[in-house]
Every structure is written in C-alpha cells, then in structure tokens.
Amino acid sequence: LQEVGREWCGELHKYFAGKGFHFVHSGYGESYNDYMGVGIAFPTKQFELVDSVIKRISESKTWPKQPAAAPMAANGGALVLVTKPFAAVTALL
C-alpha cells in the first residue's frame, strides 16, 4: 500500500491481523502529511517474519559531493558579456 499515514496504521494492523496477515509499515513523510509512507501485508500461514529492517534508501547510500557552483551563480545567474577591455559591460539575463 502507498500513501499510508499514521492515522490509518492502527486500523490496517487490526484489519490484516483479523485476516491472518502481518502488516509492516514505514512512514517517511512529514508531520503535515501524517508521516505518510508505505506498507505491506503478508499471510502468516505462508510466511514467517524472520527479520525486519526499515531503512530509508537515501540514508543507506553514499552520495557524491555537490558540484562546485556554476560560473553563472557567482554573478547572480546573469551571463556577463564584456565587449571591449575596460569598456561597458552588458548583462544578459
């Protein structure tokens, strides 16, 4: 299931348990969206939960460093064109 908030988790646990399923939920959202996340249910007669690790993928991967600022960023995002040395500078947006 996708987009499952905390408000629904208790009801879903109760529902699936009554049907012979185990429900695992991982909330990754923010407080404004009730910590929405994903959940999965599986039948306990067919499967046994041996281990459960709930982890955010973004926290388990080493990400490359951010690249250096682009040359245009130093000029506030404007491209500067110099027409002649020591002459007027025209800023093109």
Side-chain angles (χ1 to χ4, degrees), residues 10-62:
E11 290 297 318
L12 288 169
H13 278 285
K14 185 171 73 173
Y15 173 80
F16 284 118
K19 303 286 183 188
F21 282 70
H22 184 79
F23 180 66
V24 179
H25 176 261
S26 176
Y28 50 79
E30 303 289 335
S31 61
Y32 71 89
N33 65 11
D34 196 30
Y35 299 97
M36 218 174 265
V38 295
I40 187 167
F42 59 89
T44 55
K45 287 185 179 179
Q46 278 185 282
F47 301 99
E48 175 187 3
L49 180 62
V50 175
D51 192 13
S52 178
V53 176
I54 299 173
K55 195 181 256 191
R56 291 176 62 162
I57 298 298
S58 63
E59 294 171 349
S60 64
K61 180 180 179 348
T62 303

